[in-house]
Amino acid sequence: MRLSRYFLPLLKENPSEAQIVSHRLMLRAGMIRQQAAGIYSWLPLGLRVLANIEAIVARELDKAGCIRLLLPTLQPAELWKESGRYDAFGKEMLRIKDRAERDLLYSPTCEEMIVDNFRAAIRSYKSLPLHLYQINWKFRDEVRPRFGVMRGREFYMKDGYSFHATLDDAKREYDKMYDVYHAIFKALGLTAIAVNANTGAIGGSMSHEFQVVAETGESALYYDATFDDIRSGKINMSSADMRKLYAAADELHIPEECPVPKERLRETRGIEVGQIFLLGSKYTDAMNIQVIGANGEAIVPEMGTYGIGVSRLVGAIIEASHDDNGIIWPESVAPFKVGLINLRVGDAKCDALCETLYDTLESKGVSVLYDDTEDRAGAKFASMDLIGLPWQLTVGPKGAERGVVELKNRKFGEKQELSVEATLAQLIK
Ligand code: P5A
């Protein structure tokens, strides 16, 4: 992508409405724009990151045997009246009437809608287990939308729902998703801590929240100090072993009953990037769902549900990975892998070398944002640091004369002067 042709509205000043660093940086880096409280446009740079996260989440779920579909964002109220949640959900639900005065709502979550799809198609235990998921917009009319995409009213969520013949089967899927979630967050460059949590408006008998530690997080957490060693990379632990360690959300932490000695107990704040629930038959009972069991009897399917805050993750990754100059994207989610800076646009050698680098990298599948504008060098460097692409490749007149360029790693800051061949070898892997 040529910067001169792109839509990247960077802000020079810190926006006064942003209280936390990720919100500030997303606005400054031209990733999002607020349209109403908790409702955002995703500008091209932000959308690329959102799409990368979405693709990683989908890839890991597909690998785990989950099946993707797409449900509508607008739902008829009748479904929610069947489950009893139409009234229970209260003011968080955005209620709409169509021209025929029929009650609709903008989906805050989709348990009812998925059960409705299940009942239209599944008759027998032989079709179980079945795990369906979607990645789609949700709306919750939060009392206090804040911190940008962290607590939006409109937000992008991965929501999965599994159906099983027995509660034991549902538990097994829950345990499997517990592991899959760790793998997903790891692939996104994050270490998540799974804490025991309340089931709230979703319901069920067991739940874990996946939390990324951050001072600015909205949840209070209590956990075994071993998690800090896992986070720092000092020790490596399997998801199964992690589950044996104590970790609880604020509301479930009872100091008198905590098994961890005081000196090993950590109290911090976290960003909830996902939550899983063992639902049992809450929705299948309420909506009268039955299928034929192995002995010909009627059984009520048992369920689980599994959520990931895809848009919230964009903010969470920035909270976990930035410095004073801007964002530092992990390669897996970076909007472009390389920022190519032409220090003297109009100089024949600089232009020719940049064009060669740009074409070669793009043709090898390495995404490049090419700064071909006439801005000052200082401004170009500052913008590249702000938007946080993993590699910065700078071409200046002296280097171009000798056929060398400068390659900087955004995370470690180290700069190398390299030949064109060596640069390409380094970036095309
Ligand atoms: C699980 C999937 C559910 O809704 N039903 C379908 C279950 N769970 S949840 O915990 O309520 O939401 C799942 C994840 O969505 C993110 N999230 C939000 N992100 C941004 N702004 C919001 N207002 C918001 N509300 C929830 C969280 O990451 C949460 O874990």
Side-chain angles (χ1 to χ4, degrees):
M1 181 60 63
R2 288 168 202 275
L3 187 56
S4 62
R5 308 299 322 139
Y6 205 38
F7 183 60
L8 186 65
L10 302 181
L11 302 182
K12 292 232 158 40
E13 305 297 326
N14 271 330
S16 58
E17 73 267 29
Q19 294 163 307
I20 63 170
V21 67
S22 58
H23 188 194
R24 203 154 54 226
L25 288 173
M26 286 183 77
L27 292 170
R28 285 199 51 208
M31 294 177 66
I32 52 168
R33 179 161 184 277
Q34 184 172 314
Q35 303 294 162
I39 300 178
Y40 292 87
S41 291
W42 285 79
L43 306 182
L45 195 77
L47 178 61
R48 288 180 75 102
V49 178
L50 192 68
N52 288 344
I53 295 173
E54 173 176 2
I56 291 172
V57 170
R59 181 190 73 202
E60 295 296 319
L61 292 172
D62 292 348
K63 244 194 318 194
C66 310
I67 300 164
R68 187 168 179 176
L69 47 45
L70 187 60
L71 303 170
T73 50
L74 291 182
Q75 306 188 2
E78 282 70 35
L79 277 180
W80 289 68
K81 288 180 181 155
E82 267 189 73
S83 74
R85 282 207 299 180
Y86 191 61
D87 293 327
F89 227 87
K91 288 200 163 187
E92 270 198 17
M93 180 185 278
L94 181 65
R95 294 154 208 260
I96 303 160
K97 276 196 196 296
D98 69 10
R99 69 207 300 165
E101 295 289 305
R102 277 183 293 254
D103 289 318
L104 297 172
L105 57 101
Y106 195 113
S107 132
T109 173
C110 292
E111 282 78 9
E112 287 80 357
M113 178 70 74
I114 205 83
V115 169
D116 186 56
N117 279 277
F118 179 91
R119 76 172 150 201
I122 305 295
R123 298 279 167 266
S124 156
Y125 77 97
K126 287 185 188 159
S127 302
L128 305 179
L130 179 66
H131 187 145
L132 300 169
Y133 78 97
Q134 67 159 349
I135 303 177
N136 204 358
W137 296 97
K138 303 285 181 298
F139 194 95
R140 292 182 186 173
D141 205 349
E142 302 271 355
V143 187
R144 264 205 328 147
R146 57 179 187 161
F147 301 157
V149 300
M150 289 287 191
R151 178 165 297 279
R153 290 198 296 164
E154 188 184 43
F155 59 98
Y156 207 39
M157 189 208 283
K158 185 289 286 189
D159 42 326
Y161 309 86
S162 68
F163 296 86
H164 307 272
T166 67
L167 190 58
D168 275 348
D169 287 351
K171 276 193 185 128
R172 256 192 298 281
E173 183 73 3
Y174 183 96
D175 293 345
K176 177 174 161 185
M177 293 315 289
Y178 181 98
D179 295 344
V180 170
Y181 270 37
H182 276 302
I184 290 175
F185 296 123
K186 199 166 170 198
L188 294 169
L190 295 170
T191 307
I193 297 178
V195 304
N196 283 302
N198 275 337
T199 55
I202 306 296
S205 57
M206 174 164 53
S207 179
H208 282 90
E209 288 171 357
F210 289 76
Q211 298 275 355
V212 173
V213 171
E215 275 168 32
T216 49
E218 292 194 280
S219 328
L221 317 175
Y222 295 82
Y223 59 77
D224 189 309
T226 310
F227 278 113
D228 282 340
D229 293 335
I230 298 170
R231 292 199 310 119
S232 68
K234 219 193 244 171
I235 56 172
N236 214 336
M237 199 180 264
S238 73
S239 169
D241 284 336
M242 268 196 252
R243 188 146 175 201
K244 295 179 196 137
L245 298 173
Y246 181 81
D250 194 16
E251 66 274 11
L252 289 186
H253 175 70
I254 302 164
E256 298 75 41
E257 293 171 22
C258 177
V260 183
K262 224 178 175 163
E263 65 280 6
R264 299 278 313 155
L265 185 70
R266 296 287 174 270
E267 179 186 350
T268 53
R269 303 195 70 77
I271 302 165
E272 182 204 312
V273 288
Q275 187 167 0
I276 59 177
F277 305 77
L278 182 65
L279 291 175
S281 58
K282 171 174 172 173
Y283 295 92
T284 40
D285 268 335
M287 295 174 72
N288 277 318
I289 310 297
Q290 294 188 341
V291 298
I292 297 165
N295 303 316
E297 77 288 22
I299 57 168
V300 179
E302 306 280 346
M303 291 179 66
T305 180
Y306 320 88
I308 291 182
V310 177
S311 48
R312 176 178 286 182
L313 271 164
V314 180
I317 292 170
I318 297 174
E319 289 291 326
S321 186
H322 66 270
D323 63 15
D324 289 345
N325 298 327
I327 303 167
I328 304 173
W329 290 116
E331 276 202 25
S332 59
V333 301
F336 297 90
K337 183 169 173 181
V338 179
L340 173 61
I341 300 174
N342 186 341
L343 286 181
R344 183 129 350 133
V345 172
D347 174 278
K349 287 217 164 91
C350 285
D351 290 353
L353 186 48
C354 283
E355 291 296 331
T356 305
L357 288 165
Y358 181 64
D359 290 344
T360 313
L361 288 169
E362 285 279 340
S363 72
K364 297 284 180 191
V366 178
S367 55
V368 181
L369 182 62
Y370 171 24
D371 188 344
D372 58 344
T373 67
E374 295 185 350
D375 283 352
R376 295 180 295 109
K380 289 189 173 191
F381 290 131
S383 299
M384 277 299 175
D385 277 353
L386 172 63
I387 66 174
L389 308 182
W391 296 97
Q392 291 174 17
L393 189 53
T394 303
V395 175
K398 284 195 200 121
E401 199 68 53
R402 292 187 293 131
V404 296
V405 298
E406 186 187 85
L407 186 63
K408 176 179 136 177
N409 180 283
R410 174 68 181 87
K411 183 167 178 190
F412 301 109
E414 78 216 7
K415 296 176 183 167
Q416 299 168 272
E417 202 179 64
L418 295 174
S419 70
V420 172
E421 295 69 37
T423 304
L424 292 173
Q426 168 98 29
L427 295 174
I428 304 167
K429 273 189 188 143

